Amino acid sequence: MPTVIKEASHTFSEYLLIPGYSSKECVPANVSLKSPLVKFKRGEEPSLSVNIPMVSAVMQSVSDDKLAVALAREGGVSFIYCSQSIEDEAAMVARTKAYKAGFVVSDSNIRPQDTLEDVLKLKERTGHSTVAVTEDGTAEGKLLGIVTGRDYRVSRMAPDEKVETFMTPLSKLITAPEGTSLKEANDIIWDYKLNSLPIVGKDGKLKYFVFRKDYDEHKRHTNENLDAKKRYVVGAGINTRDYAERVPALVKAGADVLCIDSSEGFTEWQKITIDFIREKYGDKVKVGAGNVVDAEGFRYLADCGADFVKVGIGGGSICITRETKGIGRGQASALLDVCKARDEYFEETGVYVPVCSDGGIVHDHHITLALAMGADFVMLGRYFARFDESPSHKILINGNLMKEYWGEGSNRARNWQRYDLGGSAKLSFEEGVDSYVPYAGKLGDNVQRTLAKVRSTMCNCGALTIAELQKKAKLTLVSSVSIVEGGAHDVMLKNKQ
């Protein structure tokens, strides 16, 4: 007969936190959300941490280099998706590591022989009013001038007028040489009252722009997640098929941490992959593993040498693994079981293996619940797919702006490697869907709003750190009628325009 767990499998929505005593020092401004990203020994500090407990999922529609920069700027980490060629993934990692805060590679470029109509189309596509005029129309071409909104008037100029006739030429521009520090660049901007400063190489080719508007933004990001060389920390996904070729390329590109992307991680394939990394790199290369949903699965991956373990099967908003295959577990039940095993493992071995809660996050307060239940950080897909920085397209549906969002197990992604059972190289059936999510604007604005809620709830529980929250948290299961009571009820709501 099978083993039957009689307790029901619970989700985050079935729990509430009970408030605890809060001292006068327990205010959101004093809350630290720093959390370990990789394993460490008792009495030591982890070699990698996150300043906020949020990482982005290994997904085509979520994690590319643009989102990696935006999330690292806020204090988190992105895991670049691996359902692409090794060369393309390594290039995304390299671009993230090469990114200089405040130094922007121009994405609005045009040739001098192009027209005003071309400028307007480019502005509409990128949303940027500063356009670099380069010899070949690329971001790395020889700089000849720039075009801003002050250089033309649509009502008084013909659409076919050449850019070279109305651009501000290089001879009238103030530029700075490659190697100029951000402080020096900002000093030049303020001294000459500029809106932008082109950074130019010795060969005359455009390297970057430094913008006045970015100065205040840079000052706001005091929580950036940086490595020892002041570069953004970035992760990368790998699979259990081509790891022998993919891992060296990602390590060479500068990936700080790897993560085995798999729908189910309690397998020998993960051990083989981790063994390869340990034999080739020792403990220098950090790699997370998963996903699992019980103590036995955690113990297996911890013994294999995983630097962190991901928890969750079938709880993602685009995942239909439970529906298709009948495997998985409610995310709250899985997390509580695994985190208990993590603490027992720490007591036995003196090695703390961080737990990542992956999936099941519907509302912002679910993040706080996941942390209270023992997670060190959460992995989010749908959450980040909604933002400007994700790689998917915006689309208007029934008057509402949406963004595309699809699962790695969908027919669109065709990421058969993450469902590796040792068979043929194909996707036999779907375990994910192709969908849309409501467009939500900039990542930074939304993340800060979410974290404000997390900090506030932690203060209600009398906790100033995640570790303190996990010790002090009191959780209660709620009934179906209690859930109804928790929202607006028995009133007529005003229409929100």
Side-chain angles (χ1 to χ4, degrees):
M1 292 296 292
T3 299
V4 178
I5 299 173
K6 294 184 179 181
E7 181 186 347
S9 182
H10 296 293
T11 67
F12 292 134
S13 291
E14 295 175 80
Y15 284 92
L16 286 175
L17 282 159
I18 295 176
Y21 168 74
S22 301
S23 68
K24 64 180 181 180
E25 285 77 26
C26 208
V27 295
N30 292 336
V31 171
S32 170
L33 293 175
K34 189 170 184 177
S35 195
L37 183 64
V38 297
K39 68 183 180 184
F40 59 95
K41 294 180 180 178
R42 184 182 283 113
E44 298 180 355
E45 290 293 319
S47 59
L48 282 174
S49 297
V50 283
N51 294 326
I52 62 172
M54 301 169 76
V55 303
S56 68
V58 190
M59 300 178 70
Q60 294 175 6
S61 54
V62 178
S63 299
D64 65 354
D65 51 302
K66 186 176 180 182
L67 190 123
V69 167
L71 184 51
R73 183 181 289 145
E74 300 301 324
V77 173
S78 284
F79 285 88
I80 304 293
Y81 68 93
C82 56
S83 52
Q84 60 179 322
S85 72
I86 295 172
E87 295 75 18
D88 287 347
E89 185 182 7
M92 285 188 180
V93 170
R95 285 197 296 271
T96 305
K97 298 305 291 184
Y99 185 89
K100 293 182 180 180
F103 292 85
V104 180
V105 176
S106 177
D107 66 353
S108 295
N109 309 287
I110 208 159
R111 300 174 303 168
Q113 60 267 37
D114 289 328
T115 64
L116 173 61
E117 185 177 13
D118 295 322
V119 171
L120 297 176
K121 287 180 179 178
L122 184 61
K123 181 181 176 182
E124 183 179 4
R125 187 171 74 248
T126 64
H128 299 151
S129 58
T130 300
V131 178
V133 184
T134 59
E135 201 169 55
D136 58 2
T138 69
E140 302 85 20
K142 187 175 182 181
L143 183 65
L144 301 178
I146 64 170
V147 172
T148 70
R150 293 178 297 181
D151 291 315
Y152 58 85
R153 294 188 66 177
V154 177
S155 60
R156 296 189 178 185
M157 296 169 62
D160 60 355
E161 188 162 342
K162 302 291 185 183
V163 169
E164 59 191 359
T165 66
F166 60 86
M167 70 180 187
T168 301
L170 180 62
S171 59
K172 293 184 179 180
L173 292 177
I174 293 173
T175 64
E178 186 178 10
T180 299
S181 70
L182 186 60
K183 183 182 184 306
E184 291 169 338
N186 282 316
D187 287 343
I188 294 170
I189 286 174
W190 288 105
D191 290 344
Y192 290 92
K193 299 180 180 180
L194 305 175
N195 287 323
S196 63
L197 176 69
I199 307 296
V200 182
K202 291 182 179 179
D203 53 5
K205 292 184 177 181
L206 178 63
K207 298 297 180 182
Y208 308 101
F209 271 111
V210 177
F211 292 97
R212 173 188 286 263
K213 64 181 178 62
D214 287 341
Y215 177 80
D216 290 335
E217 186 178 346
H218 179 66
K219 289 296 182 183
R220 279 196 306 115
H221 296 119
T222 57
N223 220 20
E224 292 177 319
N225 199 3
L226 305 172
D227 66 14
K229 296 181 180 179
K230 304 297 183 183
R231 301 173 301 179
Y232 285 132
V233 173
V234 62
I238 61 173
N239 59 65
T240 56
R241 284 280 181 150
D242 63 9
Y243 56 85
E245 296 78 34
R246 191 173 293 269
V247 170
L250 296 174
V251 171
K252 184 178 180 181
D256 296 279
V257 57
L258 306 176
C259 179
I260 302 174
D261 179 41
S262 175
S263 68
E264 201 279 297
F266 195 178
T267 74
E268 189 177 2
W269 303 111
Q270 299 233 342
K271 182 181 187 303
I272 292 169
T273 304
I274 295 171
D275 285 347
F276 167 82
I277 293 172
R278 294 291 173 250
E279 289 169 9
K280 187 173 178 65
Y281 300 102
D283 291 327
K284 291 182 179 179
V285 172
K286 307 302 180 182
V287 56
N291 286 22
V292 298
V293 292
D294 65 2
E296 192 178 0
F298 169 83
R299 173 71 67 153
Y300 174 78
L301 291 178
D303 287 340
C304 286
D307 286 291
F308 65 85
V309 173
K310 283 203 299 168
V311 177
I313 294 177
S317 60
I318 40 66
C319 184
I320 55 172
T321 295
R322 297 180 195 173
E323 181 182 324
T324 305
K325 297 170 65 175
I327 66 167
R329 194 177 190 185
Q331 188 66 9
S333 294
L335 190 57
L336 287 166
D337 193 5
V338 169
C339 290
K340 181 182 177 184
R342 184 266 320 278
D343 293 342
E344 290 172 351
Y345 189 85
F346 180 52
E347 288 300 316
E348 291 175 26
T349 67
V351 177
Y352 186 91
V353 181
V355 167
C356 169
S357 179
D358 178 17
I361 302 291
V362 180
H363 305 292
D364 287 347
H365 74 270
H366 287 171
I367 296 175
T368 319
L369 283 167
L371 298 174
M373 290 176 182
D376 296 281
F377 54 96
V378 297
M379 178 172 278
L380 304 161
R382 180 196 60 84
Y383 179 89
F384 289 117
R386 304 173 299 147
F387 304 145
D388 284 319
E389 294 85 353
S390 76
S392 62
H393 297 293
K394 282 187 287 189
I395 187 168
L396 194 64
I397 299 177
N398 297 327
N400 298 310
L401 268 179
M402 311 290 283
K403 290 207 78 175
E404 297 174 299
Y405 179 47
W406 60 96
E408 289 298 292
S410 68
N411 194 49
R412 180 172 183 174
R414 299 200 65 78
N415 184 7
W416 61 269
Q417 292 97 330
R418 76 188 310 269
Y419 304 92
D420 186 11
L421 294 175
S424 57
K426 66 177 183 177
L427 192 68
S428 300
F429 53 87
E430 289 185 293
E431 293 189 44
V433 298
D434 198 344
S435 62
Y436 300 102
V437 289
Y439 167 66
K442 293 182 178 178
L443 179 146
D445 295 338
N446 285 275
V447 165
Q448 289 308 315
R449 189 179 303 115
T450 295
L451 295 179
K453 297 176 186 178
V454 173
R455 291 187 179 100
S456 179
T457 306
M458 287 175 62
C459 287
N460 293 145
C461 296
L464 291 176
T465 66
I466 293 172
E468 193 176 4
L469 174 67
Q470 291 165 354
K471 290 179 182 177
K472 292 185 174 181
K474 291 186 287 185
L475 293 160
T476 180
L477 276 167
V478 295
S479 66
S480 57
V481 289
S482 176
I483 293 172
V484 173
E485 181 187 61
H489 62 92
D490 299 318
V491 294
M492 182 179 291
L493 294 175
K494 294 179 180 180
N495 290 328
K496 292 184 178 180
Q497 298 299 324

